Amino acid sequence: MAIRVFLTLLLFLSLTNLVSSIYEDQVGLMDWHQQYIGKVKHAVFHTQKTGRKRVLVSTEENVVASLDLRHGEIFWRHVLGTNDVVDGIDIALGKYVITLSSGGSILRAWNLPDGQMVWESSLQGSKESKSILNIPKNLKADKDDLILVYGKGHLHAISGIDGEILWRKDFASDSIEVNHIIQSPEVIYVAGFVGSSKFYVYELNTKNGELLKNNHITLPFGTFGESLSVSGDKFVVLDDLRSKIVTINFNNGDINYNQKQISDLVKDLSGQAVILPSRLPGLFTLKINSNVLFIKITNEGELVLVDKIDNAAAFSNALSISENQHVFAFVQYEDNKIHLSVKDVNDWNGDLLKEDLVVDHQRGNIEKIFINNYVRTDRSHGFRALMVMEDHSLLLVQQGEIVWSREDGLASVVDVTTSELPVEKDGVSVAKVEQNLFEWLKGHALKLKGTLMIASPEDKVAIQKLRLRSSEKSKMTRDHNGFRKLLIVLTRAGKVFALHTGDGHVVWSTALHTLRKSEECEHPVGLNIYQWQVPHHHALDENPSILVIGRCGPSLTAPTVLSFLDAYTGKELNSLSLAHTVARVIPLPYTDSTEQRLHLIIDVNKHAYLYPRTPEAIEILKREFSNVYWYSVEVDNGVIRGHALKSNCVHEVVDEYCFVSRDLWSIVFPSESEKIIATVTRKSNEVVHTQAKVMTDHDVLYKYISKNILFVANAAPKASGEIGTATPEEASLVIYIIDTVTGRILHRMTHHGCQGPVHAVFSENWVVYHYFNLRAHRHEMSVIEVYDQSRADNKDIWKFVLGKHNLTSPISSYYRPEISAKSQSYFFTHSVKAIEVTSTAKGITSKQLLIGTIGDQVLALDKRFLDPRRTLNPSQAEKEEGIIPLTDSLPIISQSYITHSLKVEGLRGIITVPAKLESTSLVFAYGVDLFFTQIAPSRTYDSLTEDFSYALLLLTIVALVAALFITWVLSERKDLQEKWR
């Protein structure tokens, strides 16, 4: 027992140097954290006289949030799960925010002031259907407001106080697609279509859901799209040819319809008509090409054309400002100007508000608009508008001015690259904070108090501000340590942002005109971003550039566009609309004389296209023609193939920039037992410091270093879904390490009773992957290290002296390698979202794994914990080498969270960038939030930290000199006294 305690204490002491923590006042000095919400889908204003004015929103990133209406700041927010899509949001009882999500199966109530969840109800159903949230105003059902929810083919009545399900009604058995719910104090009407021609109306008792009446009508033609509710008893829908407007009325259970040709309403328009989903009492909007028609339904059921608007961008729903007055807003583009208009639904002659807006064209068009009213000092009504832009940003407009804006497009980052900042040129003055002597002394006094740990809380705040001001971390020039860079991120909306690593501010942003929504590009989406030109030798004269790839739709066959941007200014240098598709982009390790990097773009037919399309690029590729290989993974078929270039493409004429590929090899996994769930390869720009690894007793192992290694994880078909979908007997995980040039399987290993999801990272000669063990009911992490046995004979010193070694001979994939693999598995507490590894300039510094946990934090775990050579009782030599005693679980040390107490909500990815300083690695984590920091896996052994106290050093030197002088005087006096004796 004593020995065990001693070993435990020894393990703790040996790990103290693995923990790198910071003090409280250092948070924010080298890191920054930004919070976003994403593209807004629904918005509800809450502007009562008492309490803070706010707007409640839900977004495409599955975020529910409360925003300050004055400044746009986040009061509170909740990021729901990836599959927990918000279907609707509203306010109930004046104090609860009600959200419906997951296809109408989860209803939640949140406390309006602080966002605490009050209750949650799970709504069961058997059929996928439209989700409807209905919260009536000032209607009572027994003791409280009744919330009606339709989803999964069932209608539920829920108590607004405690979320209790009062009753439910099954509509799935009737095969009806419910589109509308209309509630009165005693009766609930449920309306919808069966098929495209039968319109049903159900009449239910409000108290118990009992069916009171059921009626339907069969139309003599089919319908197109969903029906729209215009008032409580009137609906409109288009016929299947989209040439007629069908009006459906029901009164006391009786249903009738009228139809009218669109051409009878408007004579000079032609094209496909679409009913817009706007909620205007007594009105509906019909869009034909770029024209929007406002059509009113009279009490007699007649259709009257009220107005026709050209180039209308967005419409709001109706807003009730009094008992009989309803208004709505719309935005119109005209002569490169934006006009905001607010009209009374019942009085079309005048405008309640008409303003011209100035909005940055980089934000794109206005996609959605929500309005709210307020009372001016003269008792008239004023209006504010919340606008959702094409780039996912959010604006609040009032009195023709933008009150605040939020760059919420940064919540949907899809790819990241980096760029160096400009070199500081001679004659360029950099703004510095000038301080007088008193401020200089005051600053050093504060630092001294902080070092001696006698600083008050106010002093700590002042020290933090002083550090942030004096660190010069936001300068727009390079620093000698390489800490200041540009993070260039591409968002899902196709907009590119350049963020400064110093404090995260946006240096520039560009909305690519090739990825703007248009008739040619209806659903633009950003795909990837790459470094295109990095002028190392002309850094003072030329700016680097980047390549952005986007697609006009989710399909691989959708048109693809390329854009080339200046990395310093964001200016679009060039753009191309490709005639071919893009399935994969391969940056080649070659550059031309202008330092543009060569790229191969592979289409769906496995044709390779060379960019840039220049004669010099062709000459470079021809010289390296036989050395270009790539692989493709067909997940659905369970096949991995290797490819190489064959010859030029021959269409009508020979295209010298297009190449036909040839298949070199293929691996077909048995579909009945294995399914590909994850593939990972090494970074192409990773630096490996040494191939040799010195072992115990001066033994040497040589790492098998190759950029052509692929890690593949296969799962049993039944275990390829979520955790728990298979039993341990049915589940298995098969791991492969494959050479992608020859297709050889270098290593294969099976984990029985395990399943995915698998998250992995490949670095140097090792791979670490995370999965779930069904037998142990715990997550596991495993490591595999691959060593080159063909160089094992190089350990003899005489072979080095005589030159009889093969260390200088190149490693070739064509020769069958003699390798050995070492592996080990460990239990791990958390589920994982992403794994990355630190990268440094020379690869000397020890590695740390950066693990994005299920709690949306980033944990730094030393690679030594995942050493396959760990044993229960390491020898003295192994301890000196740094081998940690074996434990069944990997430790999670609270100080190792590099995100501190912060969360990167919705964490999707982590990237690492080496700094010029070898000890330091830059880390950027992105999701709904953004987080950046610097870490030193082996501590800052090659520099002094920024919080180093030079004042204390000076005082120490002065004290030592004084001590030496005093000691010398005392010594002289003692010698004199000795001589007088």
Side-chain angles (χ1 to χ4, degrees), residues 58 70 107 124 166 169 233 278 339 386 406 448 472 474 562 578 604 613 621 677 694 793 922:
S58 67
R70 296 184 184 275
L107 188 70
Q124 303 300 321
L166 303 178
K169 175 68 176 176
D233 57 354
S278 56
H339 304 290
L386 189 70
R406 293 180 53 88
L448 180 60
E472 296 185 350
S474 300
L562 305 183
L578 304 185
V604 293
R613 298 172 69 88
L621 184 62
I677 60 172
V694 180
D793 295 335
L922 310 181

Side-chain angles (χ1 to χ4, degrees), residues 241-255:
L241 299 178
R242 289 197 271 180
S243 61
K244 292 183 289 187
I245 302 173
V246 182
T247 307
I248 303 174
N249 305 316
F250 75 91
N251 187 12
N252 295 326
D254 297 329
I255 307 174

